[in-house]
Amino acid sequence: MTSGTDLQVDWRSAPTPPGGGELVTDPATLRAAATDLGNIVHAVPGAVLRPHTAADVATILAWCTDHAVPWRARGTRHTTHGQGVVAAGGLQIDMRSMAAVHAVGAGGVVADAGATLRAIAVAAAGKDFRLAAGTTGYTRLTVGGVCSVGGISNRPDVGALVDSVSAAQVVTAGGHVVECTRAENAELMRAVLGGFGEVGVLTRVTLDVADLPGRVRTWQLPYGLDSLPALLADLRTLARRDELDELYVIFHQPEPHTFRLTASTYFGAGRPAPEATEVLRGLNNSTVPQALDLDHLEHIFAVDGLYDSVAEAGWSASTKIWTDVFLPDSGLEPVVTAVLPTLTAREFSPTTFGLIFPKRRSAFGPSMLALPAPDRLADDREPVFLFDLLKDSFGVDDPTWASDMLARHTEHVAIARQHGGVLYPIGTPAT
């Protein structure tokens, strides 16, 4: 999908960013900013701002507002259907040029919006802290981008990453720099968190921290397609116990219909090492898996190496169609058992995978992130589940793949909505 370039803007009349940022208009930079990770929506901007300070963003946004120029902020372009792509001829704000981690302490970690979760985690660990809400599986994402969509970790006892934001610096469309906390300018902060940049641009955040664990112990339990009900029952049992620090299900090639329930517990620093017979007691799956022990950073960075290797092999240029939906507890079985058994080999490239994350509904705070309606939940402690099916065309030579997979995506979203599901916005919108 390609947008035309009808908008005519005299960028020479734009003000100079006062904090040392750059307003770039060379064709190569503009072409590189024309799409996102999905490679479906394309629109060439008229200029790219690489800010150094919030004042840079404020100055240019005020000018854009005065001249009716559309704008969009983005980080590492990890969305899949143009959510971070500005209309053709508009202003693309590349927040990666604001990437400092300013402070770490018991009151939180303060970082610019362009800092990656990986850099923030390293800085926090250097002071014996971790991010209280956890991190996304892939940590080379900017914190501003993650907070603009919500941010989901594999910690079942917390909500989204945005729920751990205690303060934020926001630049409004009118060019005002506003400092927000949970008490001051809280309404603006709530509107920006999970708000996809519709209200303003996040330029700095303060994230809650917790004590750094000494080690992380992880187990994986395998389940086949014929044992989906047992898998979902075990996932729900472990989520409701509140004994695990991390919990999720993953499935991928070379066995797309083999599901692995992955459970992790932190230990060390006075917390004894857990045993599988205790943590995984009473499940339908009686397998006693081997434990994998890693230090905290090694554990949370495990996905990065895999991701980087396929990106270097050309995966980033592939078409991606991601189905990401929050499901109420009552919708988990109907959706999962309707979708997963019908997946064909054509829907699984070598790098396609899927995930299921249980999350405590009561742990989510006020933000723009949409969740299943309360009347779909039996009680406030009932979990909700993020169901992700992340398809891509890597290694696929099929000119009809994208259109066919978009149609399948629409089918799957319709099934999810029928059972109270709500789209998580990092994925592909459905018609």
Side-chain angles (χ1 to χ4, degrees):
M1 183 185 302
T2 302
S3 174
T5 55
D6 298 327
L7 184 66
Q8 299 298 318
V9 180
D10 182 7
W11 292 101
R12 294 171 299 179
S13 67
T16 300
E22 300 177 277
L23 192 63
V24 184
T25 58
D26 69 274
T29 298
L30 301 185
R31 288 194 300 270
T35 191
D36 60 11
L37 193 64
N39 294 303
I40 296 172
V41 175
H42 302 268
V44 179
V48 172
L49 174 65
R50 295 171 178 158
H52 288 178
T53 65
D56 290 343
V57 178
T59 298
I60 302 302
L61 281 197
W63 183 85
C64 286
T65 298
D66 289 343
H67 292 79
V69 177
W71 52 267
R72 270 295 200 199
R74 69 193 292 174
T76 51
R77 69 184 196 109
H78 205 69
T79 48
T80 57
H81 205 80
Q83 294 97 318
V85 176
V86 72
L91 175 69
Q92 190 78 66
I93 307 170
D94 187 345
M95 294 303 298
R96 292 175 297 175
S97 53
M98 289 182 63
V101 179
H102 295 279
V104 179
V109 53
V110 182
D112 284 342
T116 64
L117 293 182
R118 185 182 181 97
I120 293 170
V122 169
K127 299 286 188 175
D128 291 326
F129 293 110
R130 61 172 174 85
L131 293 180
T135 68
T136 52
Y138 181 57
T139 66
R140 298 189 196 277
L141 305 177
T142 62
V143 67
V146 171
C147 286
S148 292
V149 299
I152 299 299
S153 74
N154 52 22
R155 290 188 54 82
D157 61 331
V158 302
L161 191 72
V162 292
D163 299 312
S164 72
V165 176
S166 62
Q169 184 184 70
V170 179
V171 179
T172 67
H176 301 288
V177 180
V178 183
E179 302 295 339
C180 306
T181 68
R182 288 167 176 153
E184 300 291 331
N185 299 310
E187 185 175 351
L188 175 60
M189 189 165 83
R190 286 194 296 269
V192 171
L193 298 176
F196 254 123
E198 296 291 342
V199 175
V201 177
L202 275 171
T203 50
R204 187 174 295 180
V205 296
T206 302
L207 300 169
D208 294 337
V209 295
D211 291 338
L212 185 73
R215 303 279 285 174
V216 181
R217 176 165 291 181
T218 300
W219 303 271
Q220 285 196 333
L221 293 173
Y223 296 77
L225 189 61
D226 58 350
S227 58
L228 268 181
L231 165 65
L232 299 180
D234 288 348
L235 179 65
R236 186 177 285 109
T237 293
L238 293 175
R240 284 183 172 274
R241 279 182 187 163
D242 281 344
E243 295 175 357
L244 289 162
D245 292 293
E246 298 178 10
L247 178 65
Y248 66 99
V249 171
I250 186 169
F251 52 99
H252 54 81
Q253 289 280 41
E255 299 174 289
H257 287 137
T258 296
F259 311 95
R260 285 176 167 72
L261 190 156
T262 303
S264 299
T265 299
Y266 303 158
F267 67 100
R271 187 175 176 180
E275 297 298 333
T277 51
E278 172 61 21
V279 174
L280 305 177
R281 67 190 181 279
L283 301 183
N284 292 296
N285 191 326
S286 60
T287 304
V288 180
Q290 184 175 1
L292 174 65
D293 291 352
L294 298 172
D295 70 39
H296 180 69
L297 289 182
E298 189 180 16
H299 170 73
I300 66 172
F301 295 159
V303 173
D304 290 359
L306 299 174
Y307 188 106
D308 294 342
S309 64
V310 297
E312 291 172 3
W315 174 84
S316 297
S318 66
T319 302
K320 299 168 193 72
I321 297 167
W322 288 0
T323 305
D324 304 77
V325 290
F326 279 112
L327 299 171
D329 185 77
S330 61
L332 183 63
E333 274 91 351
V335 174
V336 169
T337 55
V339 171
L340 294 187
T342 69
L343 297 178
T344 66
R346 189 164 177 253
E347 294 178 88
F348 272 92
S349 79
T351 47
T352 291
F353 65 102
L355 298 159
I356 305 173
F357 297 100
K359 306 293 286 184
R360 185 189 299 165
R361 176 62 179 86
S362 59
F364 288 88
S367 73
M368 293 298 290
L369 182 63
L371 294 168
D375 60 5
R376 289 279 185 168
L377 306 176
D379 60 70
D380 198 36
R381 286 187 59 81
E382 185 173 281
V384 295
F385 297 84
L386 181 63
F387 175 45
D388 298 327
L389 182 56
L390 311 180
K391 301 177 187 177
D392 61 68
S393 65
F394 184 59
V396 176
D397 184 14
D398 183 346
T400 65
W401 184 89
S403 59
D404 290 348
M405 292 306 107
L406 277 171
R408 287 285 280 162
H409 164 71
T410 299
E411 292 174 13
H412 295 154
V413 171
I415 293 170
R417 285 173 169 162
Q418 181 183 357
H419 295 282
V422 177
L423 281 173
Y424 178 54
I426 193 174
T428 307
T431 57

